[in-house]
């Protein structure tokens, strides 16, 4: 199959202060490379895009695409407020402890996974992918609900950045974990597929790790390697309970 047939979901979980500096930008470079090859990337977790709406809307290829994104974000926030919540509740205690103290800081780093490509389409859960290039998918911030949604939309594989560590997998599409720091990769080698910590120490660059991720995704999709989540038998699957979780 041509590389243009690849569609890759983008996720982050257990994020730390390095997420927006190492793993997420490297995934963003991967995203730009795959889009340039005619492939598709799917950026999810709308609560983790709060604060970046204007930037993302300005990258949409058509006004109707931008309006749909903003409309879905407004509807999502309205549902949260009706339940006494808000997007500002998104950073977890672990996020805050490691430097992501506000939703805007967390979102600025999370959005970098989408790279710099134009946004071709915006999907509501559980719509399937119909356009190549960069797509946005409305999902909650919960790791398993988001990865389940991306698999349902039709991704071939997923790249999942983490600074604190998580074993999340999926029964449909392989999930490759990218560590934001070398300490995590050393401490939990059983769950990490690629270490982006070298970007922090200066031993690697965003571009070299992004290119490495492209090669790993190709090898995984080709059956030449197996993700750590698959090796561990991590087949996590949770549909989004819209009125209960965000």
């Amino acid at each position: 199959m041509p590389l243009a047939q690849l569609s890759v979901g983008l996720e982050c979980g257990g994020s730390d202060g390095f997420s927006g500096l190492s793993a997420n930008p490297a995934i963003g470079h991967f995203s730009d490379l795959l889009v340039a090859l005619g492939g598709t990337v799917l950026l999810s977790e709308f609560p983790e895009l709060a604060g970046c709406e204007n930037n993302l809307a300005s990258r949409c290829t058509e006004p109707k695409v931008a309006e749909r994104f903003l409309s879905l974000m407004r509807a999502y926030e309205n549902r949260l407020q009706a339940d006494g919540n808000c997007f500002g509740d998104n950073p977890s205690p672990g996020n805050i402890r490691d430097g992501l103290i506000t939703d805007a800081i967390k979102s600025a780093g999370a959005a970098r996974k989408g790279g710099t490509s134009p946004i071709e389409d915006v999907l509501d859960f559980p719509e399937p992918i119909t356009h190549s290039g960069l797509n946005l998918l409305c999902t909650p911030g919960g790791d398993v609900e988001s990865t389940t949604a991306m698999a349902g939309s039709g991704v071939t594989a997923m790249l999942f950045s983490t600074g604190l560590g998580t074993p999340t997998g999926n029964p449909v599409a392989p999930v490759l974990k990218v560590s934001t720091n070398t300490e995590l990769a050393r401490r939990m080698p059983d769950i990490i597929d690629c270490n982006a910590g070298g970007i922090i120490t200066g031993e690697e660059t965003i571009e070299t790790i992004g290119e490495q991720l492209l090669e790993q995704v190709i090898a995984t999709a080709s059956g030449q390697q197996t993700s750590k989540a698959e090796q561990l038998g991590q087949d996590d699957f949770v549909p989004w309970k819209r009125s209960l979780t965000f």
Side-chain angles (χ1 to χ4, degrees):
M1 300 290 287
L3 294 180
Q5 293 297 313
L6 277 176
S7 56
V8 178
L10 313 175
E11 180 78 12
C12 52
S15 299
D16 67 357
F18 293 124
S19 295
L21 302 174
S22 58
N24 289 354
I27 291 175
H29 185 62
F30 157 86
S31 299
D32 288 340
L33 292 174
L34 185 58
V35 168
L37 291 166
T40 302
V41 290
L42 195 57
L43 180 62
S44 60
E45 299 182 290
F46 272 27
E48 299 190 9
L49 300 180
C52 298
E53 292 95 338
N54 287 342
N55 173 269
L56 293 170
S58 69
R59 290 168 52 189
C60 292
T61 54
E62 296 183 56
K64 66 179 182 180
V65 176
E67 179 52 40
R68 185 163 204 231
F69 168 58
L70 296 174
S71 176
L72 287 172
M73 287 291 283
R74 286 192 294 266
Y76 200 147
E77 189 165 25
N78 288 339
R79 286 199 303 272
L80 292 179
Q81 291 175 347
D83 293 332
N85 300 308
C86 68
F87 282 141
D89 297 331
N90 180 261
S92 69
N95 294 154
I96 294 170
R97 186 186 66 242
D98 284 273
L100 303 180
I101 59 176
T102 70
D103 60 324
I105 293 174
K106 187 175 181 180
S107 295
R112 297 196 69 182
K113 300 193 302 294
T116 61
S117 300
I119 296 169
E120 301 291 343
D121 201 10
V122 176
L123 308 174
D124 193 8
F125 175 87
E127 294 175 334
I129 298 168
T130 58
H131 292 74
S132 59
L134 174 59
N135 287 241
L136 305 181
L137 174 64
C138 184
T139 76
D143 298 344
V144 181
E145 288 170 311
S146 183
T147 52
T148 298
M150 290 191 290
S153 288
V155 299
T156 310
M158 302 180 214
L159 289 176
F160 190 131
S161 72
T162 182
L164 306 178
T166 172
T168 302
N170 184 269
V172 177
V175 181
L176 286 81
K177 302 292 180 5
V178 186
S179 65
T180 70
N181 62 87
T182 300
E183 174 56 31
L184 172 63
R186 289 173 178 164
R187 190 173 70 251
M188 305 179 76
D190 56 322
I191 70 167
I192 299 300
D193 296 278
C194 178
N195 174 28
I199 297 171
I200 302 299
T201 61
E203 300 167 271
E204 298 283 357
T205 67
I206 290 170
E207 291 74 20
T208 57
I209 297 297
E211 291 164 8
Q212 182 179 330
L213 289 173
L214 179 62
E215 294 302 324
Q216 284 192 265
V217 168
I218 292 171
T220 302
S222 301
Q224 297 169 356
Q225 73 175 45
T226 305
S227 70
K228 296 293 181 67
E230 289 178 278
Q231 294 173 28
L232 291 172
Q234 295 292 338
D235 291 338
D236 304 299
F237 187 91
V238 178
W240 183 14
K241 302 175 288 294
R242 276 188 189 256
S243 62
L244 299 177
T245 60
F246 70 96

